[in-house]
Amino acid sequence: MKAQVLLIFVTLFCINTYAQNAFVWPIKELDTARNISYLSEEEKDVILELNKVRYNPAMYAQLNMKWMEVFYSDKLLKIPGKIVYETNEGKAVFLECIEALKKAEPTSILEPSRGMTKACKLLVYDQSSTGKTGHRGSGNSSPSDRVQKFGEFQGTVAENIHYGDCEPTFVVISLLIDDGVHSRGHRKNILSKEFNFVGVGIGNHKVYGEMCVNTYATKFIEK
């Protein structure tokens, strides 16, 4: 049985890879962080994944997410090669996300920000030692407090946090599905037309092993 599941996974992965090659993502346009020195390769990949979603949400759902459906078993997500993940809402929220992405309109491509990335890494550094979760850092700092240490934002600012497996595609898909978050606030942030700039920080977490912070802003002026 395990061999059959693995074969299904490999087949789906190959189909997914072929489909992505068949549809040519405009990588030069979407990969806005690739030549940035202050980001790790994984952090750059997160920005690329975010930009793919924003460029064509429906295509992202079809090519990058649809294959996951067969790995839901009641409220468990059993992807070969990853730990079994116990969800709150099961397959229903996954299917809801797919439908939402099919209806979502494309929006602007995100540009990386050094200052916003520093703000993300402040929270990563903090929670890597405390093991805490959530958007409040040491001294009760908020996302906007941290961002304003490194520049000035105009318009709206928001923050997404993912805990656990920080493989870039998995980070973005998890935030899009937004299991257990009834407002779907993380998904809304990723798809929001209000945002043009992004910061990303990936690092260790005392309890969950890894964490990834994404901060978004309408406009950001670096110090």
Side-chain angles (χ1 to χ4, degrees), residues 56-179:
N56 194 327
M59 187 67 70
Y60 194 86
Q62 185 62 36
L63 297 185
N64 291 59
M65 294 180 63
K66 192 67 175 151
W67 62 270
M68 287 178 58
E69 183 177 352
V70 298
F71 296 112
Y72 277 91
S73 176
D74 193 17
K75 289 193 174 181
L76 299 179
L77 179 58
K78 302 177 178 180
I79 299 176
K82 294 187 179 293
I83 63 169
V84 175
Y85 177 65
E86 185 173 1
T87 70
N88 293 289
E89 301 176 70
K91 188 189 290 188
V93 65
F94 171 81
L95 295 175
E96 174 216 297
C97 179
I98 295 294
E99 290 305 309
L101 290 174
K102 287 180 180 179
K103 297 173 184 176
E105 295 182 2
T107 189
S108 61
I109 301 306
L110 298 168
E111 295 292 336
S113 161
R114 181 188 293 270
M116 291 170 62
T117 293
K118 288 181 178 179
C120 292
K121 293 186 176 183
L122 270 185
L123 188 62
V124 172
Y125 178 78
D126 185 0
Q127 295 185 350
S128 68
S129 58
T130 66
K132 292 182 179 179
T133 61
H135 297 283
R136 290 286 173 177
S138 294
N140 204 35
S141 67
S142 68
S144 59
D145 291 334
R146 291 188 290 274
V147 167
Q148 289 179 101
K149 290 179 179 290
F150 305 104
E152 177 185 349
F153 72 86
Q154 298 176 357
T156 304
V157 65
E159 183 179 80
N160 283 355
I161 309 174
H162 167 85
Y163 296 96
D165 185 346
C166 281
E167 189 278 317
T169 303
F170 190 70
V171 168
V172 174
I173 289 175
S174 296
L175 292 169
L176 284 169
I177 295 172
D178 227 1
D179 174 61

